[in-house]
Every structure is written in C-alpha cells, then in structure tokens.
Amino acid sequence: SQTIHQWPATLVQPVGSPLSLECTVEGTSNPNLYWYRQAAGRGLQLLFYSVGIGQISSEVPQNLSASRPQDRQFILSSKKLLLSDSGFYLCAWGRGTELFFGEGSRLTVL
Amino acid sequence: RKEVEQDPGPFNVPEGATVAFNCTYSNSASQSFFWYRQDCRKEPKLLMSVYSSGNEDGRFTAQLNRASQYISLLIRDSKLSDSATYLCAVNLAPGTASKLTFGTGTRLQVTL
C-alpha cells in the first residue's frame, strides 16, 4: 500500500531563517505530488505541484520554492522566512483524481 | 465569488441527528468532486468521492447537483466521533488530474 511521510512535524523558526520541509512517498512510482498550505482559519491553498522529477509548477507567487530531486521525494524550501509563511504545510500525492495527504508540518515563524 | 464555497458553521447537532452540508463551485466544467474530513490539527482524510449518480457509504451520502453547481454531504444518525471539519474539494480545471481546490470547511460538533 502507498504511504506518505513528511518531516519535521513541527518547527519554530525566526524571521529571515531558511526552511526545508521534506516529503517522501512509498509504494507507488511517478506520482503527482503537491504542496498545500493551510493558514490559521483559512482553507487549503495549493502552492506547488509536480508531475515528475525536476518538473515543478507554482500556483501562487510567494517566498517559497519546491524541488523534486527524486521520483518520490518532494521538498519545500525558503531562503528567508516571513511571518506570513506560518501555517500548516501538507504534502499530498495523487492517484487518478484523488489526493492523499501526509501528516503535515506545522510552521511557526516568529 | 469564491471558486469553492462552504458554510463555515459550526453546526451543533445532538447525537443521532441528521445533518447536511452543501458546497458550491464556480466552474460548470468541473468533473471531480470529493468530501474530506479533517480533525483538529490533523491532515485532511478522504471521506468519499462524489459521483454524478450520488453515492452512499454507511451513514454518509454524497450527491452532486450539476445544474445548480453544488455538492452535498448528508450524515445520518450522527455520532460523537463525527465531530470534525468537513472540506469539499473540486477539480475546477479538467485535465489537471488531482489538482483540487478546497473549500474552507464546515465544522460539525456532535453533542450528547
């Protein structure tokens, strides 16, 4: 069966510091991968998606970037965090039209 | 108008009650529809897909109304464990598999 892992689960970072969130999927090959963010009291916002190694589509202009160095690995990064980057970051993989989420990474920027 | 819109609630219902949520979407060409359940501070989990003919899974029934561009979720015989936020999700742009747009969620609180 397919599983998806995200880490770290929780992190507190100062403004201006870098960020790296990692996501890996097991049990499937060439999945579509997604990064969503859920800010406090708001809905899920699609940030990036990838249909293959090195292929990244950005949905909204922002302070973040994504990379897919391996088939089942998806990384979300920032060089300098802003206060507005705080939120619950969710990686997901797609099977057909369905999405399945990892457990999420909760980021607080102070 | 938001692309996918839900009543945020909260819906406070007694155990055993029937409760229904609606979700409207903006693009009439949308093809795929889903309901997710999200517990507090957890990731959303797929509850059920919504098919044109409607579908039922135990106490849960999902329906699609293309003419009025909304989907619905009906929960019968509510349990305390049904308390959660229910998110609807729509693939607004056919051809972009799994690229879902989510509503902000409807919070359900089931009480004794």
Side-chain angles (χ1 to χ4, degrees):
Chain A
S1 64
Q2 298 86 4
T3 57
I4 180 168
H5 304 282
Q6 270 187 255
W7 68 92
T10 306
L11 63 168
V12 180
Q13 295 285 108
V15 169
S17 64
L19 172 74
S20 182
L21 302 179
E22 194 162 337
C23 169
T24 59
V25 180
E26 297 175 358
T28 185
S29 59
N30 198 31
N32 288 345
L33 296 174
Y34 305 80
W35 279 110
Y36 280 83
R37 177 173 61 201
Q38 189 174 39
R42 301 183 66 180
L44 286 160
Q45 180 185 33
L46 179 61
L47 302 176
F48 301 95
Y49 73 95
S50 171
V51 298
I53 296 174
Q55 300 179 62
I56 308 294
S57 294
S58 175
E59 289 296 296
V60 292
Q62 59 208 316
N63 183 42
L64 303 167
S65 61
S67 62
R68 186 168 176 176
Q70 300 180 46
D71 182 44
R72 289 172 288 176
Q73 183 184 30
F74 205 22
I75 297 171
L76 184 71
S77 304
S78 175
K79 293 182 179 178
K80 289 185 178 181
L81 284 169
L82 306 172
L83 287 174
S84 58
D85 292 325
S86 293
F88 190 37
Y89 288 82
L90 291 152
C91 180
W93 72 278
R95 182 178 67 193
T97 54
E98 296 176 339
L99 275 187
F100 299 91
F101 289 91
E103 293 180 341
S105 298
R106 194 166 302 276
L107 170 66
T108 302
V109 182
L110 300 175
Chain B
R1 181 186 177 186
K2 292 181 181 177
E3 294 180 305
V4 179
E5 199 155 5
Q6 295 182 251
D7 182 340
F11 284 56
N12 294 298
V13 302
E15 208 173 13
T18 295
V19 61
F21 310 133
N22 283 343
C23 168
T24 58
Y25 59 93
S26 60
N27 186 353
S28 61
S30 301
Q31 296 294 326
S32 305
F33 310 88
F34 306 91
W35 283 102
Y36 281 77
R37 170 190 170 129
Q38 186 174 24
D39 292 298
C40 187
R41 301 181 69 81
K42 297 288 189 180
E43 77 276 20
K45 293 186 178 177
L46 181 61
L47 181 64
M48 54 198 310
S49 303
V50 187
Y51 305 123
S52 295
S53 56
N55 48 309
E56 186 174 314
D57 182 3
R59 298 181 292 109
F60 298 82
T61 300
Q63 292 191 312
L64 167 64
N65 185 318
R66 283 195 184 276
S68 300
Q69 293 180 215
Y70 73 87
I71 62 173
S72 64
L73 177 68
L74 182 78
I75 305 175
R76 290 182 299 278
D77 189 23
S78 299
K79 311 290 184 191
L80 292 174
S81 57
D82 294 333
S83 298
T85 297
Y86 291 83
L87 306 171
C88 65
V90 180
N91 185 342
L92 291 173
T96 55
S98 305
K99 198 171 145 187
L100 298 180
T101 299
F102 286 80
T104 52
T106 298
R107 192 154 65 87
L108 171 66
Q109 183 66 51
V110 182
T111 57
L112 288 171

